[in-house]
Amino acid sequence: MIALLFDIVGMTGTFLVVGAFFMLQLGKAKPTGLLYNMMNLSGAILLLISLCYNFNLASFVIEIFWIAASLIGLYKYLKAKQTTAVA
């Protein structure tokens, strides 16, 4: 039962990351936008959680980088919003 729960968490993460990429390709999301970066961040975190049950070093490392990239994107998004609000 616990394995199923971690599989559901992992698959949800997968759908978020892949869904964000598809939305980007379809022009429904911007690479600098909040939606794209939040979907990537959430998906990577869920995938990282799923790796707690069935660990894989390569997957763990890529998810850490994916989280870092998403956080950079969110920082840039928030900084741009702040600059726009001041101007």
Side-chain angles (χ1 to χ4, degrees):
M1 183 65 177
I2 194 81
L4 178 61
L5 178 63
F6 278 99
D7 280 344
I8 291 170
V9 168
M11 288 304 296
T12 302
T14 299
F15 285 126
L16 283 168
V17 170
V18 173
F21 185 70
F22 271 102
M23 288 178 64
L24 182 67
Q25 296 304 312
L26 295 171
K28 303 294 183 184
K30 296 178 183 175
T32 56
L34 181 63
L35 177 64
Y36 177 75
N37 285 294
M38 285 302 296
M39 286 178 72
N40 273 316
L41 178 62
S42 301
I45 290 171
L46 290 175
L47 284 162
L48 205 58
I49 290 169
S50 75
L51 287 170
C52 291
Y53 183 76
N54 193 3
F55 187 76
N56 177 301
L57 181 59
S59 295
F60 180 83
V61 169
I62 199 167
E63 295 313 321
I64 294 297
F65 279 106
W66 210 255
I67 288 169
S70 298
L71 289 173
I72 291 168
L74 286 171
Y75 172 77
K76 290 174 74 174
Y77 170 82
L78 293 172
K79 191 171 180 178
K81 280 289 187 189
Q82 186 180 40
T83 304
T84 304
V86 172

